[in-house]
Amino acid sequence: MNKPKQLTFPWSKPNKSNYDEFYFDKSNFELKDILFEKDDLFLYGLKKTGKTFLLQSLCNEYAKKSKSSLYVPLSEISNLETQILDSIENMDIICIDEIDSIAEIYDWETAIFNLINNCQISGCRLVFSSLENPSSIKFSLNDLASRIKKINSIEIFPVSDDSLIEAIEFISKLRSINLGERELNYLLTYTERSISSLVSIINKLDEFSIEQKRKITIPLIKEVI
């Protein structure tokens, strides 16, 4: 098949996720090198540690290099027919988010198992994500559980408390946003301490401040959060 930059599927949503905009806490340094290796990979970790962002970033990175890519959010599409995964194994990379969401759904487990087999033949790279360690996911299909356990896995850790200010400064600098010390401390005190939440809030602050033609101050932050 031809290799478009990115194929469009019923669940596809435009996103601008970019690997260079992900803040790597010191506990996640190992992940930086592994992401762009050629081998299949399994990412797991707590909610809102950036798994979805990294999967979408990988797809976008492949697309920039004129390679075919597909992001598959299993929790969002498990109500669809599994045939949507048929004959997609000739892509360069397929990123499958939240594979634990289809545990004990036999049809979907079978579809993912078949996809893994087909990708091994075609050479398509597979990258999975899950809230759970792959060895802890209760698949009803033993063959799928066995295949998943053979994939190199790595845990993504939340940003540590002592790195949160650095994380906010990193994200703000990318967007050319100047945050004062009072504003930084306010964000740390009154927002959820996760990288995905921080990115979301800073993006909203940036858009709102431009729209309102106002500097980012504590009153403006209160209006956004």
Side-chain angles (χ1 to χ4, degrees):
M1 69 185 292
N2 292 328
K3 292 186 175 182
K5 290 185 178 180
Q6 216 164 353
L7 297 185
T8 301
F9 283 76
W11 63 85
S12 296
K13 299 176 183 177
N15 74 81
K16 297 180 181 179
S17 301
N18 186 330
Y19 168 83
D20 293 329
E21 296 183 4
F22 188 86
Y23 175 80
F24 286 92
D25 189 76
K26 57 187 177 183
S27 58
N28 291 320
F29 278 171
E30 182 185 359
L31 179 61
K32 294 179 71 172
D33 298 324
I34 293 177
L35 273 176
F36 290 100
E37 293 179 356
K38 295 180 180 180
D39 296 333
D40 293 345
L41 183 64
F42 195 112
L43 307 178
Y44 69 96
L46 297 174
K47 191 174 182 180
K48 295 188 177 182
T49 48
K51 298 183 295 297
T52 294
F53 185 93
L54 288 174
L55 293 188
Q56 292 176 339
S57 296
L58 271 173
C59 286
N60 289 337
E61 191 67 25
Y62 271 65
K64 284 193 294 185
K65 296 177 180 178
S66 297
K67 294 184 177 182
S68 55
S69 60
L70 177 63
Y71 168 73
V72 182
L74 281 183
S75 65
E76 296 181 28
I77 68 168
S78 57
N79 61 323
L80 302 177
E81 296 294 328
T82 60
Q83 284 80 2
I84 59 178
L85 297 187
D86 290 349
S87 302
I88 62 172
E89 65 273 3
N90 290 315
M91 308 189 86
D92 290 297
I93 188 170
I94 300 172
C95 293
I96 300 177
D97 208 355
E98 298 180 307
I99 189 175
D100 47 328
S101 68
I102 55 96
E104 300 185 331
I105 304 177
Y106 184 78
D107 287 350
W108 273 99
E109 288 191 10
T110 302
I112 295 297
F113 175 71
N114 290 335
L115 179 63
I116 293 174
N117 289 339
N118 292 337
C119 286
Q120 286 182 338
I121 296 170
S122 68
C124 172
R125 186 188 185 196
L126 289 171
V127 180
F128 297 92
S129 87
S130 166
L131 291 172
E132 300 181 57
N133 184 305
S135 61
S136 301
I137 303 174
K138 297 179 180 178
F139 293 115
S140 56
L141 190 63
N142 290 332
D143 287 341
L144 175 60
S146 177
R147 288 295 172 87
I148 290 295
K149 289 176 183 177
K150 291 178 181 178
I151 297 173
N152 183 31
S153 63
I154 185 168
E155 184 174 3
I156 302 180
F157 296 97
V159 176
S160 60
D161 283 352
D162 58 359
S163 296
L164 280 172
I165 289 181
E166 184 177 309
I168 295 176
E169 289 176 337
F170 171 82
I171 297 166
S172 300
K173 185 177 180 180
L174 287 171
R175 288 153 178 75
S176 300
I177 300 171
N178 292 316
L179 286 175
E181 185 177 344
R182 292 179 67 246
E183 287 72 27
L184 278 171
N185 289 331
Y186 189 88
L187 282 173
L188 286 177
T189 303
Y190 294 102
T191 61
E192 184 179 344
R193 291 177 172 238
S194 71
I195 193 68
S196 59
S197 293
L198 288 170
V199 169
S200 177
I201 289 170
I202 290 175
N203 284 340
K204 289 177 182 177
L205 286 171
D206 189 28
E207 292 173 6
F208 192 60
S209 66
I210 293 172
E211 178 185 316
Q212 298 291 316
K213 297 181 180 179
R214 294 162 56 191
K215 290 178 62 177
I216 297 178
T217 60
I218 290 177
L220 186 138
I221 293 173
K222 288 180 179 179
E223 292 181 47
V224 171
I225 66 173

